[in-house]
Amino acid sequence: MKAWLIRLFYRQPAWCRSGWTLVVLLCLGVFAMWIGDLGLALGNSDDGRILARFGLGARNFWDMGVFESRFGAVMAPYAQADGQHVVQLRVEPALASVTYAHHPPLQLFFSIVSVGAFGDSVSALRVMGFVLGSATVGFIAALLRFRQIAWGPTLLAVAAMSSTGFFYVYARIGVGYSLLVAVLAAVAWLTRDCVSPRWVWVGLAGLTALAAMQSWIAMVSMGLVAVWLLLQAVPRSDVEVSSTRGVVKWIRSRWNPAATAVSVGTLVGMVVTAVWILNATDISEMVERVGFRTGSAVETSTQSTQFSFREFLSRQWSFAKEELLAPLWLRILLVPALVAGLVDKRTRFAVVISLSVAAILTFGFQQGAWIHRLWNFPWLAPATIGMAALFDHVRTVLSTRLRVVVSAGAAIAVLMTAFLVVTGSTRERYLTEPADAGELVAGLVDSDEVAQAELVWATRHVPTPRWIAYYLDLPVHTLNEEDLGDVIATDIVVLDGGNVPDWFPSGWEKHLLGAQGKYVAITGQGLLATRTLSR
């Protein structure tokens, strides 16, 4: 084991070790970009709704116990009111209504461990996502280096990825492609070194199991990795392949330790995920969710529409152009980068696998991609790998002087992009402005009004307000016009002051319980008073 580790880490040229030093500095730089947000409030955003789900699950796991919380799947007091669940006001909801198990559970398990170790806080929920997100830089760099991409293109590609708005906003949540890329990097290394100790294959199986439990796309990608391992393997001469059972013989002739490790790990991850989901969710509900996500009909609190494929493509492109999620240079380089990554034999397998699962997520589950920008985030993985291949090819045709000029220009563009993302409207729109809602609600926790309240209402421009339930430990319902008669004096109403519904009674500004940015809270008593004056 010691000799193998020496061969892996130390017997490399000095220039190679300096490259890894820069990779570590990049990882630390990404972590440093995020560390100031460790305590950023959970608000009206993807960041808020996802982490609040983990937070509620982790809290209930420790408060209710392993089995009563269904291994952290219970989100009480937040209840989901949809086609599968009917939630009545001021009545304790059915367990199925407060249970959410529609995704693999790894990040929830991480949150449970983190909350148990560091306490029930936003910081505890964020720290593992920050670690996984920043480690993604190292994972992709390792993959590219193990596939013989030069250091210059490798560092430029991962730096470019780290500078994008997509990465800055979504990689920190911990639900991305980090472990997917980690497995690809591990496989790329181990297929170069055929003589590896048994513990290495056990480690690969464990890493694969974790990846399969991180997200649906990672789970699918692990199956593609196993197929690739068989395709690239050299057939063993001791297995006859010309029998009637050709497929079985073909697989046997190419089976190898890496394929075993990946297959076993994937199976373990799938079994754990299946047991966790089926323990908390009815199969019919999962079938309904799949049908819902693969359709083209959208019914949410903020929109109701039926979209065509052309409208879908237009919306995805508009998402990419918003702020600096996908900077102009990334949109220009995307197609050439993907082509270069597919053409280059060194990166082909990684691009095919990561591009396939990204395309499945976007185009196979169009309803989800129509609603959530997050669903396009995985495209950054094949784009980054492809950019490295493209840069490596361009490098070989440039003179030394021109190579220095182009590299310096690219580095400046990346640094400027990162600066604008961190200090500009991208951060404001997707992080700090939505966090105002969380700060508002967090500031009400110790108020007398919250102590007396038994229900919180949120208007339709405050969708999926799990973060309200996380902070106030109260059930939350969406407030529509027909619900005004159900509001009582002790209730609390949270609304987006910049998107007040037309039917909302005028004069509510005089009854503010609190305000932060554009978000405001009023008491039910204040709403009742404005209704009386409006009549």
Side-chain angles (χ1 to χ4, degrees), residues 180-531:
L180 185 165
V181 179
V183 171
L184 294 179
V187 167
W189 170 259
L190 292 172
T191 51
R192 292 173 53 197
D193 189 355
C194 297
V195 184
S196 298
R198 183 175 298 177
W199 67 268
V200 172
W201 302 115
V202 174
L204 176 60
L207 179 61
T208 304
L210 291 176
M213 293 165 57
Q214 185 179 27
S215 65
W216 292 119
I217 64 169
M219 184 182 294
V220 173
S221 70
M222 294 305 99
L224 297 178
V225 170
V227 171
W228 176 81
L229 285 169
L230 296 179
L231 290 174
Q232 61 85 42
V234 177
R236 300 200 312 272
S237 57
D238 60 329
V239 178
E240 177 62 45
V241 297
S242 59
S243 70
T244 55
R245 293 183 296 170
V247 174
V248 175
K249 295 293 185 179
W250 181 87
I251 293 175
R252 287 182 57 195
S253 70
R254 293 169 177 268
W255 200 259
N256 54 76
T260 300
V262 170
S263 299
V264 171
T266 302
L267 181 61
V268 170
M270 291 176 64
V271 169
V272 172
T273 298
V275 169
W276 182 77
I277 288 177
L278 294 178
N279 178 64
T281 304
D282 188 82
I283 294 179
S284 63
E285 180 176 339
M286 290 300 296
V287 172
E288 186 272 337
R289 295 301 297 179
V290 171
F292 175 66
R293 290 302 191 191
T294 56
S296 59
V298 178
E299 291 288 342
T300 67
S301 62
T302 57
Q303 59 178 310
S304 176
T305 186
Q306 180 88 30
F307 58 84
S308 65
F309 187 65
R310 169 179 258 178
E311 291 171 329
F312 174 78
L313 291 178
S314 176
R315 185 173 175 88
Q316 303 314 301
W317 184 245
S318 68
F319 282 168
K321 293 189 296 183
E322 285 180 357
E323 307 302 338
L324 287 172
L325 288 182
L328 178 61
W329 52 261
L330 178 59
R331 301 198 298 271
I332 293 173
L333 291 176
L334 179 61
V335 173
L338 293 178
V339 171
L342 292 170
V343 170
D344 194 319
K345 292 182 179 180
R346 299 171 298 175
T347 55
R348 183 180 299 157
F349 92 99
V351 172
V352 166
I353 291 172
S354 56
L355 179 60
S356 297
V357 293
I360 289 172
L361 184 65
T362 298
F363 297 107
F365 299 88
Q366 293 183 19
Q367 191 272 356
W370 176 275
I371 298 173
H372 303 301
R373 293 160 181 80
L374 170 63
W375 287 43
N376 286 323
F377 170 55
W379 285 82
L380 203 52
T384 302
I385 299 167
M387 279 193 295
L390 178 64
F391 297 158
D392 203 28
H393 285 289
V394 171
R395 176 184 66 90
T396 61
V397 300
L398 296 178
S399 65
T400 302
R401 179 177 298 180
L402 188 56
R403 190 186 306 169
V404 171
V405 173
V406 172
S407 299
I412 291 172
V414 167
L415 289 173
M416 288 183 61
T417 302
F419 177 79
L420 292 174
V421 165
V422 174
T423 63
S425 57
T426 303
R427 171 178 169 79
E428 179 181 357
R429 176 172 178 177
Y430 297 106
L431 293 172
T432 56
E433 184 178 285
D436 285 341
E439 289 189 27
L440 164 67
V441 175
L444 302 177
V445 170
D446 297 323
S447 66
D448 293 337
E449 290 80 3
V450 169
Q452 299 172 14
E454 61 180 30
L455 184 66
V456 181
W457 298 91
T459 55
R460 65 187 183 91
H461 285 286
V462 186
T464 322
R466 298 181 187 127
W467 42 275
I468 296 179
Y470 173 79
Y471 282 117
L472 301 185
D473 198 26
L474 292 170
V476 187
H477 287 267
T478 299
L479 180 64
N480 297 305
E481 185 174 9
E482 59 270 20
D483 300 315
L484 287 175
D486 294 321
V487 178
I488 64 175
T490 57
D491 289 347
I492 294 173
V493 181
V494 177
L495 65 155
D496 178 349
N499 292 285
V500 179
D502 295 337
W503 47 263
F504 206 79
S506 59
W508 55 268
E509 300 92 339
K510 301 176 182 178
H511 302 274
L512 292 183
L513 178 60
Q516 183 73 34
K518 66 176 183 176
Y519 295 96
V520 297
I522 63 176
T523 61
Q525 183 176 2
L527 179 61
L528 294 174
T530 58
R531 285 193 69 202

Side-chain angles (χ1 to χ4, degrees), residues 152-170:
T154 294
L155 293 171
L156 181 57
V158 295
M161 174 192 72
S162 306
S163 74
T164 64
F166 261 129
F167 192 86
Y168 180 73
V169 173
Y170 294 118

